[in-house]
């Protein structure tokens, strides 16, 4: 069989993706469904690593706006991502997918410390590696952590699972005639301030030639379809 265009991918999941229809927290049924999508992608021959946000539990930037010290709020947000990583690990291992959680903030009782060479070795052994606690530093989002880990793991692409089926010129939930882009250049995203990922994450992917694929993770079976080139998504890559 021909090698897939994107063999090794980093999947970036927002914390909100784990909420299901609830207003906050972790929905076990939704988490199990996403785990099944990841397992299917793995069975199709892809190597995967994952970064999960923490916005379903605690959002540091929002807390800082209400008076929290920004650095302290960001550390609290990083701990939320660890909870989500453990939930994702549990869901994956319940269906027989071997995983490892690596945290940028050392938590020896529940995860490995982030060590790049060890993470690479896990992926070579067909394990799914879940990166928790962002970069381990305040003032950086999990978008930036995802771009950083994608570069460190030599990923072919960064897949961002969202609640919409790509990048639009306006919020499709608010603007009925919003136009979806099939493809975009990194420079266009930065120049037009399109809300794909944080500017630092977009620039990091651009400089390391890692395409960003934005798709709807809430649609059942969509990860496999997009990986096979059949699903609806927007790809951001180097070009005009």
């Amino acid at each position: 069989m021909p090698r897939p265009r994107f063999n090794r991918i980093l999947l970036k999941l927002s914390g909100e993706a784990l909420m299901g229809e609830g207003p906050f927290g972790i929905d076990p049924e939704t988490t199990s469904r996403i785990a099944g999508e990841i397992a299917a992608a793995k069975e199709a021959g892809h190597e995967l690593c994952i970064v999960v946000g923490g916005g379903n539990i605690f959002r540091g930037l929002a807390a800082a706006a209400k008076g929290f010290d920004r650095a302290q709020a960001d550390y609290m947000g990083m701990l939320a991502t660890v909870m989500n990583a453990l939930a994702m690990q549990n869901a994956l291992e319940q269906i027989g997918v071997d995983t490892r959680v690596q945290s940028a903030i050392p938590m020896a009782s529940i995860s490995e410390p982030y060590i790049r060479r060890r993470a690479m070795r896990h992926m070579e052994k067909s394990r799914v590696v879940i990166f928790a606690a962002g970069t381990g530093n305040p003032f950086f989002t999990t978008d930036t952590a995802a771009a950083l880990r994608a570069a460190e793991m030599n990923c072919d692409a960064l897949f961002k699972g969202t609640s919409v089926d790509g990048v639009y010129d306006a919020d499709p939930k608010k603007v009925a005639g919003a136009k979806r882009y099939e493809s975009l250049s990194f420079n266009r995203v930065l120049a037009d301030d399109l809300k794909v990922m944080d500017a630092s994450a977009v620039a990091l992917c651009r400089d390391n030639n890692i395409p960003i694929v934005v798709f709807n993770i809430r649609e059942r079976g969509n990860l496999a379809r997009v990986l096979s080139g059949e699903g609806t998504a927007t790809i951001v890559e180097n070009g005009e």
Side-chain angles (χ1 to χ4, degrees), residues 6-138:
F6 300 131
N7 183 54
R8 175 176 288 186
I9 68 165
L10 185 140
L11 176 62
K12 167 61 169 64
L13 297 171
S14 66
E16 288 85 347
L18 304 186
M19 293 191 312
E21 299 302 320
F24 62 88
I26 301 167
D27 176 58
E29 184 178 343
T30 300
T31 305
S32 295
R33 179 189 63 77
I34 293 173
E37 304 244 348
I38 293 166
K42 187 172 175 291
E43 288 172 7
H46 299 278
E47 297 178 359
L48 289 100
C49 51
I50 305 169
V51 169
V52 189
N56 57 321
I57 299 171
F58 189 88
R59 190 176 292 278
L61 196 58
K66 295 181 180 179
F68 273 71
D69 175 78
R70 173 63 192 277
Q72 195 79 337
D74 280 354
Y75 281 121
M76 294 169 70
M78 290 179 219
L79 297 181
T81 72
V82 176
M83 295 174 68
N84 285 337
L86 293 176
M88 200 74 251
Q89 180 182 44
N90 177 71
L92 285 164
E93 296 207 331
Q94 283 187 342
I95 56 175
V97 178
D98 198 12
T99 72
R100 294 291 186 275
V101 172
Q102 290 200 348
S103 173
I105 298 174
M107 298 185 190
S109 297
I110 58 173
S111 66
E112 296 179 356
Y114 172 66
I115 300 172
R116 176 179 176 269
R117 290 177 65 88
R118 182 182 290 179
M120 295 280 282
R121 185 63 176 148
H122 287 321
M123 294 187 72
E124 289 166 2
K125 291 184 176 181
S126 198
R127 295 169 182 149
V128 173
V129 182
I130 307 171
F131 299 114
T135 67
N137 303 289

